[in-house]
Amino acid sequence: MADRKVTVLATGFPTELKRALARSAPGEGLSMNDLAVKILADEFKVRVEPSGRPAKPQEASNSNILSLRMPEKLRRKIRQRAVDGGGISQVIADTIAAHFEQAAAA
């Protein structure tokens, strides 16, 4: 049975990081949500299936909120790490930022 999807709002999300997601997603053949969730799933060792939404060039809004649809299992694992400090939004931002830093260093 597939894990049910939930919406997670990452508040205080850095707009420059949101723009990096928006720029990178089409090159990966993924929607912005699918790329962000893939990065998180890779870090937390959770298997996810892409939504199937087409990748398209998009502008990231200037909002500091990132709304993500993800499997409940992934949200639970993010919450577990957030217990150690920082909160869910910070764990999401830190994980995605680390991904882009590693990609830039490679």
Side-chain angles (χ1 to χ4, degrees):
M1 181 170 100
D3 200 10
R4 80 180 179 96
K5 300 277 185 176
V6 295
T7 300
V8 176
L9 296 178
T11 58
F13 197 82
T15 53
E16 63 275 4
L17 195 51
K18 199 171 184 182
R19 286 186 195 106
L21 276 170
R23 281 191 308 269
S24 299
E28 299 277 334
L30 298 169
S31 68
M32 193 167 110
N33 182 85
D34 284 349
L35 177 57
V37 171
K38 179 186 180 310
I39 292 166
L40 294 165
D42 288 350
E43 171 68 19
F44 289 93
K45 311 292 189 261
V46 175
R47 183 177 148 94
V48 296
E49 294 293 325
S51 68
R53 291 190 182 103
K56 59 182 176 187
Q58 54 189 343
E59 292 291 321
S61 72
N62 288 328
S63 166
N64 67 349
I65 297 172
L66 182 65
S67 177
L68 298 173
R69 292 280 299 158
M70 66 177 65
E72 173 66 29
K73 181 177 182 178
L74 180 55
R75 182 179 71 169
R76 282 193 310 269
K77 288 194 170 205
I78 293 169
R79 274 189 174 170
Q80 288 171 347
R81 187 173 295 173
V83 168
D84 295 333
I88 291 174
S89 295
Q90 191 63 52
V91 169
I92 290 171
D94 289 349
T95 302
I96 292 173
H99 167 81
F100 283 114
E101 288 167 12
Q102 290 171 350

PDB file of all heavy atoms in Angstrom, residues 10-15 18 61-66:
ATOM      1  N   ALA A  10       7.120  24.591   4.821  1.00  0.00           N
ATOM      2  CA  ALA A  10       8.401  25.019   5.389  1.00  0.00           C
ATOM      3  C   ALA A  10       8.375  26.538   5.408  1.00  0.00           C
ATOM      4  O   ALA A  10       8.423  27.171   4.348  1.00  0.00           O
ATOM      5  CB  ALA A  10       9.561  24.492   4.556  1.00  0.00           C
ATOM      6  N   THR A  11       8.243  27.112   6.584  1.00  0.00           N
ATOM      7  CA  THR A  11       8.179  28.563   6.708  1.00  0.00           C
ATOM      8  C   THR A  11       9.572  29.124   6.955  1.00  0.00           C
ATOM      9  O   THR A  11      10.462  28.422   7.432  1.00  0.00           O
ATOM     10  CB  THR A  11       7.240  28.975   7.852  1.00  0.00           C
ATOM     11  OG1 THR A  11       7.713  28.380   9.061  1.00  0.00           O
ATOM     12  CG2 THR A  11       5.814  28.511   7.580  1.00  0.00           C
ATOM     13  N   GLY A  12       9.756  30.369   6.590  1.00  0.00           N
ATOM     14  CA  GLY A  12      11.069  30.983   6.736  1.00  0.00           C
ATOM     15  C   GLY A  12      12.077  30.401   5.768  1.00  0.00           C
ATOM     16  O   GLY A  12      13.286  30.486   5.971  1.00  0.00           O
ATOM     17  N   PHE A  13      11.578  29.800   4.683  1.00  0.00           N
ATOM     18  CA  PHE A  13      12.452  29.142   3.708  1.00  0.00           C
ATOM     19  C   PHE A  13      13.197  30.207   2.906  1.00  0.00           C
ATOM     20  O   PHE A  13      12.579  31.127   2.367  1.00  0.00           O
ATOM     21  CB  PHE A  13      11.613  28.262   2.773  1.00  0.00           C
ATOM     22  CG  PHE A  13      12.423  27.256   2.010  1.00  0.00           C
ATOM     23  CD1 PHE A  13      12.787  26.061   2.600  1.00  0.00           C
ATOM     24  CD2 PHE A  13      12.839  27.512   0.722  1.00  0.00           C
ATOM     25  CE1 PHE A  13      13.539  25.122   1.909  1.00  0.00           C
ATOM     26  CE2 PHE A  13      13.591  26.587   0.020  1.00  0.00           C
ATOM     27  CZ  PHE A  13      13.944  25.384   0.616  1.00  0.00           C
ATOM     28  N   PRO A  14      14.525  30.105   2.806  1.00  0.00           N
ATOM     29  CA  PRO A  14      15.290  31.132   2.096  1.00  0.00           C
ATOM     30  C   PRO A  14      14.875  31.249   0.620  1.00  0.00           C
ATOM     31  O   PRO A  14      14.826  30.242  -0.097  1.00  0.00           O
ATOM     32  CB  PRO A  14      16.732  30.639   2.204  1.00  0.00           C
ATOM     33  CG  PRO A  14      16.734  29.691   3.364  1.00  0.00           C
ATOM     34  CD  PRO A  14      15.371  29.073   3.382  1.00  0.00           C
ATOM     35  N   THR A  15      14.583  32.466   0.193  1.00  0.00           N
ATOM     36  CA  THR A  15      14.130  32.657  -1.195  1.00  0.00           C
ATOM     37  C   THR A  15      15.212  32.274  -2.197  1.00  0.00           C
ATOM     38  O   THR A  15      14.890  31.760  -3.269  1.00  0.00           O
ATOM     39  CB  THR A  15      13.660  34.106  -1.449  1.00  0.00           C
ATOM     40  OG1 THR A  15      14.680  35.020  -1.057  1.00  0.00           O
ATOM     41  CG2 THR A  15      12.393  34.405  -0.682  1.00  0.00           C
ATOM     42  N   LYS A  18      14.924  28.650  -2.670  1.00  0.00           N
ATOM     43  CA  LYS A  18      13.726  28.367  -3.459  1.00  0.00           C
ATOM     44  C   LYS A  18      14.004  28.611  -4.945  1.00  0.00           C
ATOM     45  O   LYS A  18      13.593  27.832  -5.810  1.00  0.00           O
ATOM     46  CB  LYS A  18      12.594  29.269  -2.966  1.00  0.00           C
ATOM     47  CG  LYS A  18      11.213  28.813  -3.343  1.00  0.00           C
ATOM     48  CD  LYS A  18      10.206  29.680  -2.603  1.00  0.00           C
ATOM     49  CE  LYS A  18       8.804  29.247  -2.837  1.00  0.00           C
ATOM     50  NZ  LYS A  18       7.844  30.114  -2.157  1.00  0.00           N
ATOM     51  N   SER A  61       8.435  32.107  -6.331  1.00  0.00           N
ATOM     52  CA  SER A  61       7.813  33.290  -5.743  1.00  0.00           C
ATOM     53  C   SER A  61       8.756  33.890  -4.699  1.00  0.00           C
ATOM     54  O   SER A  61       9.695  33.247  -4.238  1.00  0.00           O
ATOM     55  CB  SER A  61       6.480  32.917  -5.100  1.00  0.00           C
ATOM     56  OG  SER A  61       6.712  32.174  -3.925  1.00  0.00           O
ATOM     57  N   ASN A  62       8.500  35.104  -4.344  1.00  0.00           N
ATOM     58  CA  ASN A  62       9.298  35.766  -3.315  1.00  0.00           C
ATOM     59  C   ASN A  62       8.849  35.389  -1.911  1.00  0.00           C
ATOM     60  O   ASN A  62       9.399  35.878  -0.942  1.00  0.00           O
ATOM     61  CB  ASN A  62       9.239  37.283  -3.497  1.00  0.00           C
ATOM     62  CG  ASN A  62      10.026  37.711  -4.713  1.00  0.00           C
ATOM     63  OD1 ASN A  62      11.026  37.102  -5.067  1.00  0.00           O
ATOM     64  ND2 ASN A  62       9.570  38.759  -5.363  1.00  0.00           N
ATOM     65  N   SER A  63       7.881  34.509  -1.829  1.00  0.00           N
ATOM     66  CA  SER A  63       7.388  34.044  -0.535  1.00  0.00           C
ATOM     67  C   SER A  63       8.466  33.211   0.146  1.00  0.00           C
ATOM     68  O   SER A  63       9.219  32.491  -0.503  1.00  0.00           O
ATOM     69  CB  SER A  63       6.137  33.193  -0.752  1.00  0.00           C
ATOM     70  OG  SER A  63       5.823  32.485   0.413  1.00  0.00           O
ATOM     71  N   ASN A  64       8.519  33.301   1.463  1.00  0.00           N
ATOM     72  CA  ASN A  64       9.473  32.465   2.196  1.00  0.00           C
ATOM     73  C   ASN A  64       8.808  31.207   2.739  1.00  0.00           C
ATOM     74  O   ASN A  64       9.240  30.639   3.725  1.00  0.00           O
ATOM     75  CB  ASN A  64      10.145  33.266   3.314  1.00  0.00           C
ATOM     76  CG  ASN A  64       9.179  33.659   4.411  1.00  0.00           C
ATOM     77  OD1 ASN A  64       7.973  33.533   4.272  1.00  0.00           O
ATOM     78  ND2 ASN A  64       9.715  34.134   5.514  1.00  0.00           N
ATOM     79  N   ILE A  65       7.763  30.766   2.041  1.00  0.00           N
ATOM     80  CA  ILE A  65       7.074  29.525   2.402  1.00  0.00           C
ATOM     81  C   ILE A  65       7.220  28.538   1.241  1.00  0.00           C
ATOM     82  O   ILE A  65       6.981  28.892   0.091  1.00  0.00           O
ATOM     83  CB  ILE A  65       5.586  29.766   2.696  1.00  0.00           C
ATOM     84  CG1 ILE A  65       5.439  30.696   3.901  1.00  0.00           C
ATOM     85  CG2 ILE A  65       4.861  28.443   2.932  1.00  0.00           C
ATOM     86  CD1 ILE A  65       4.025  31.147   4.167  1.00  0.00           C
ATOM     87  N   LEU A  66       7.638  27.333   1.556  1.00  0.00           N
ATOM     88  CA  LEU A  66       7.735  26.266   0.570  1.00  0.00           C
ATOM     89  C   LEU A  66       6.716  25.204   0.966  1.00  0.00           C
ATOM     90  O   LEU A  66       6.776  24.649   2.062  1.00  0.00           O
ATOM     91  CB  LEU A  66       9.144  25.670   0.557  1.00  0.00           C
ATOM     92  CG  LEU A  66       9.405  24.580  -0.471  1.00  0.00           C
ATOM     93  CD1 LEU A  66       9.311  25.140  -1.890  1.00  0.00           C
ATOM     94  CD2 LEU A  66      10.766  23.947  -0.248  1.00  0.00           C
TER      95      LEU A  66
END
